[in-house]
Amino acid sequence: MKTYTFTEKKDTRSGFGAGMAELGRSHPDVVALCADLVASLKLDTFIKENPDRFIQCGIAEANMIGVAAGLTLNGLIPFATTFANFGSSRVLDQIRQAVAYSNKNVKICVSHAGLTLGEDGATHQVLEDISMMKALPGMTVINPCDFNQTKAATIAIADYEGPVYLRFGRPVVPNFTPADQPFEIGKAILLNEGADVSIFATGHMVWQALEAGKLLAEQGVEAEIINIHTIKPLDKEAILASVSKTGCVVTAEEHQMNGGLGDSVAQVLALNHPAPLEMVAVNDSFGESGTPEQLMEKYGLTAASIVAKALAVIQRKK
Amino acid sequence: METSELAKVASQVRRDIVRMVHGVASGHPGGSLGCTDLLVSLYFQAMNLKMDDQGSVVFDMSGSGEDLFFLSNGHISPVLYSVLARRGYFPVSELATFRKLNSRLQGHPATAEHLPGIRIASGSLGQGLSVAAGAAYGKKIRNDPHRVYCLMGDGEQQEGQIWEAAAFIPHRKLDNLIAIIDFNGQQIDGPTDVVLNNRDLGAKYEAFGWTVLHMDGNDLDDVASTLQAAQEAGGQGAPVCIIMKTEMGQGVDFMMHTHKWHGTAPNNEQLTAALAQLEETLGDY
């Protein structure tokens, strides 16, 4: 098992803020919009350095999405930001009509996705956003794993023409992606080679997959671990190449089982290379208040869960 | 263009509208007929449009360096399609494809088929004013002195997003935006006062910080003078909202004074009766 180390834990939303700060200096067409959550989105530096390219929209997310769509007409690149719940389910129709169907170059960048939002509880813990966004034709859906990758993804989507949903979170997590690693939309990252089981993880669950890989190695199981930071378009080639070698799959995500990464992988497998699959995800349930660690434990989004599913799916190969 | 010339265009546009909805036995003639005079006035007189050296309109998606129009109540697409075609954005013959398979003229306006003149999809109501706000904001950022117009329905004012945009636009001093509300008092299920009373729309917009004007949307002279007044009122820090009184079905007597023709197409006899009231001025498609 390849060893991954980190010098610090940082939040992915701060990676977004760092990416926006850099875009503010390098991309004069980038405009930031926010719905009364500037500090949560870590936009302080961008706003301080580019006050004329920041649009405070107030607590009015539907209008913000429409304004963003209109801004694209002038060659501007709007980054519309809020919490993941308010930037997806609350404004699904606005995104569908004014952004996706109209093919506008809007970047919807959302923080506090998933259970790790913590104590605010289920009203804010959106676990359905990947499902909604990936169902929209033409929408790119990205869920990076750590600070450096979120920063790189933020910068990369500014140079991509088309609607993007970029999802990140609140808690500090190990920052292990090399700071100079370029972000390639739709290109999965092979983190560890192995022959026994493929683990496809996204977002905060990527680090848990690496932890699981270590635990599995102690039991003599070689896990192939792949970071699927882009859920749509999905890197089918990487998935099929891996499962051709390992013959079984575990997916891991901080999202509902219905409509998430696991569903997307299942589709690829069923259509191309049927193989046993187990999913680590929230199983048709809302979240609740608690610390991020407590919630990830209670809802089974842990390295231990990945290990258990990996051992189970390997048995199903026989 | 003189009012008499605009009236000729409007008469032809009204013929196009009833023929389009008849041709596919679906669509929304009532609001389209009511808003015909406005759209003709905008596209043939009030708006500053991008032209080539030969004086023909040129479409590019950015819309920089020209006035922009957004149709928020996308169901009155027949009037927009006819006016765009008659203005030269695409062949008039293409109006015959309205709402049919493989057409660029979708039931509600869409960009997916790349129809010149359309910059955003609309149909799900309440969204156009926000998009227009973004376009107007972008013009401010780019120092483009041109204006953005947005037409909405009065029934559409029941959508909550409208009021998000209505608060945002004056707060951000988007005085290059002119919103127009088609105040015909009708919606699918009946009179707006009965379905969900909008009460005093002008007072509401004024309270939100807009300069409010009123006009008779079926009087070409009043439309011209009010649009000019709106242009002059702009640029002073506040956006302008025009409450435009219209008659749904204007120009076809049996389609007026009722909500019945909001989304109903005429049959063969009704088409004949309608066309008899509308002079063919520019040639049918």
Side-chain angles (χ1 to χ4, degrees):
Chain A
M1 174 71 194
K2 196 175 166 189
T3 305
Y4 284 87
T5 56
F6 61 94
T7 53
E8 58 184 341
K9 286 187 170 185
K10 296 174 89 170
D11 48 345
T12 50
R13 59 177 171 153
S14 286
F16 171 70
M20 287 302 289
E22 191 162 320
L23 285 175
R25 296 164 197 143
S26 62
H27 284 60
D29 293 333
V30 166
V31 177
L33 301 89
C34 193
D36 195 36
L37 288 167
V38 164
S40 293
L41 270 295
K42 303 294 180 187
L43 285 170
D44 314 59
T45 303
F46 181 93
I47 295 169
K48 189 178 166 203
E49 296 181 0
N50 313 275
D52 296 337
R53 286 194 280 139
F54 169 69
I55 302 175
Q56 173 61 267
C57 295
I59 309 168
E61 295 84 3
N63 182 58
M64 177 173 72
I65 297 298
V67 169
L71 283 164
T72 63
L73 294 177
N74 299 275
L76 297 165
I77 307 172
F79 281 60
T81 72
T82 180
F83 283 177
N85 187 45
F86 312 136
S88 61
S89 63
R90 186 178 182 92
V91 290
L92 182 57
D93 186 45
Q94 285 77 16
I95 295 173
R96 179 175 181 272
Q97 176 168 287
V99 178
Y101 184 41
S102 295
N103 191 29
K104 294 302 178 210
N105 191 27
V106 174
K107 316 304 172 188
I108 299 159
C109 301
V110 294
S111 183
H112 294 52
L115 290 175
T116 50
L117 173 109
E119 294 80 354
D120 279 345
T123 54
H124 288 50
Q125 291 162 346
V126 72
L127 292 164
E128 302 82 22
D129 53 333
I130 291 172
S131 173
M132 287 181 272
M133 290 299 127
K134 82 178 190 187
L136 294 173
M139 181 65 78
T140 292
V141 181
I142 300 173
N143 188 24
C145 68
D146 64 8
F147 175 96
N148 284 341
Q149 188 165 74
T150 308
K151 180 182 176 186
T154 302
I155 294 164
I157 62 174
D159 292 324
Y160 164 81
E161 176 78 25
V164 174
Y165 182 78
L166 177 66
R167 172 194 212 249
F168 40 89
R170 178 179 183 230
V172 292
V173 292
N175 185 27
F176 66 94
T177 298
D180 60 351
Q181 185 178 83
F183 188 87
E184 293 181 68
I185 296 171
K187 184 90 176 126
I189 297 173
L190 177 60
L191 292 173
N192 191 61
E193 291 192 55
D196 297 330
V197 58
S198 299
I199 301 174
F200 301 129
T202 192
H204 293 146
M205 292 306 289
V206 173
W207 181 258
Q208 297 303 317
L210 291 172
E211 293 286 288
K214 280 193 277 186
L215 295 169
L216 287 165
E218 290 168 8
Q219 300 184 45
V221 174
E222 295 176 3
E224 179 142 300
I225 302 170
I226 296 182
N227 175 0
I228 311 278
H229 52 67
T230 306
I231 292 157
K232 186 184 175 187
L234 193 60
D235 191 343
K236 287 188 211 168
E237 289 71 28
I239 289 167
L240 291 172
S242 181
V243 74
S244 297
K245 187 168 61 173
T246 63
C248 66
V249 174
V250 174
T251 59
E253 61 195 308
E254 190 182 346
H255 188 270
Q256 296 287 355
M257 198 176 285
N258 285 325
L261 169 66
D263 263 9
S264 289
V265 171
Q267 188 183 87
V268 171
L269 297 182
L271 293 173
N272 299 280
H273 188 115
L277 168 70
E278 294 284 342
M279 300 181 195
V280 173
V282 175
N283 189 6
D284 201 27
S285 166
F286 289 103
E288 63 183 288
S289 291
T291 68
E293 297 75 19
Q294 289 171 333
L295 291 163
M296 296 295 266
E297 179 72 31
K298 176 167 178 175
Y299 290 87
L301 305 186
T302 60
S305 294
I306 296 172
V307 168
K309 296 279 187 184
L311 295 174
V313 83
I314 288 168
Q315 288 303 312
R316 288 174 56 197
K317 280 201 283 187
K318 292 163 186 168
Chain B
M1 194 179 271
E2 294 293 315
T3 302
S4 59
E5 294 297 309
L6 292 175
K8 285 183 185 171
V9 178
S11 182
Q12 188 65 52
V13 167
R14 287 191 163 97
R15 285 182 71 88
D16 291 346
I17 290 166
V18 292
R19 294 182 69 236
M20 286 164 74
V21 297
H22 170 266
V24 68
S26 75
H28 297 77
S32 294
L33 292 165
C35 292
T36 295
D37 302 305
L38 171 74
L39 265 75
V40 168
S41 294
L42 282 171
Y43 275 92
F44 287 83
Q45 187 178 60
M47 282 169 65
N48 204 334
L49 302 171
K50 199 172 285 178
M51 304 280 184
D52 63 16
D53 295 342
Q54 281 74 47
S56 299
V57 291
V58 178
F59 176 75
D60 69 65
M61 183 55 84
S62 83
S64 61
E66 64 176 326
D67 291 341
L68 300 180
F69 173 77
F70 292 96
L71 181 67
S72 189
N73 48 334
H75 55 275
I76 66 164
S77 56
V79 63
L80 179 59
Y81 292 150
S82 170
V83 168
L84 288 174
R86 295 291 172 182
R87 192 66 185 85
Y89 282 97
F90 57 84
V92 170
S93 60
E94 205 168 333
L95 295 176
T97 69
F98 174 61
R99 281 183 173 242
K100 293 175 178 167
L101 195 64
N102 299 321
S103 173
R104 297 196 295 179
L105 280 61
Q106 292 293 295
H108 294 78
T111 59
E113 285 75 23
H114 306 290
L115 184 68
I118 307 297
R119 293 192 168 84
I120 195 82
S122 60
S124 177
L125 292 171
Q127 299 190 26
L129 189 59
S130 300
V131 175
Y137 210 122
K139 286 192 180 295
K140 291 274 187 187
I141 290 175
R142 296 296 200 199
N143 293 312
D144 178 348
H146 290 85
R147 294 184 180 85
V148 176
Y149 295 86
C150 179
L151 175 62
M152 301 173 278
D154 54 354
E156 187 180 12
Q157 302 302 306
Q158 294 157 2
E159 291 280 8
Q161 187 183 347
I162 294 275
W163 300 100
E164 294 184 6
F168 176 84
I169 291 163
H171 184 72
R172 294 290 154 203
K173 298 186 166 49
L174 301 179
D175 56 5
N176 54 345
L177 189 153
I178 297 174
I180 302 155
I181 298 171
D182 177 21
F183 185 61
N184 59 28
Q186 306 285 345
Q187 58 190 110
I188 294 181
D189 278 358
T192 50
D193 288 357
V194 174
V195 176
L196 183 57
N197 197 334
N198 281 315
R199 301 192 183 272
D200 189 341
L201 280 174
K204 286 160 92 169
Y205 273 85
E206 270 177 0
F208 275 70
W210 295 66
T211 298
V212 174
L213 302 175
H214 296 264
M215 76 180 179
D216 180 345
N218 297 132
D219 177 335
L220 283 165
D221 288 322
D222 195 31
V223 171
S225 62
T226 309
L227 287 176
Q228 194 172 346
Q231 291 168 356
E232 288 163 4
Q236 296 171 29
V240 176
C241 175
I242 302 174
I243 311 287
M244 177 179 77
K245 182 81 184 75
T246 68
E247 187 61 55
M248 195 181 266
Q250 177 71 30
V252 178
D253 56 9
F254 61 87
M255 292 187 178
M256 296 165 67
H257 311 296
T258 172
H259 64 271
K260 190 184 148 203
W261 293 91
H262 173 96
T264 307
N267 61 27
N268 291 340
E269 293 72 30
Q270 290 162 334
L271 176 68
T272 302
L275 292 177
Q277 301 173 39
L278 301 165
E279 186 186 356
E280 183 179 349
T281 53
L282 303 176
D284 287 340
Y285 60 82

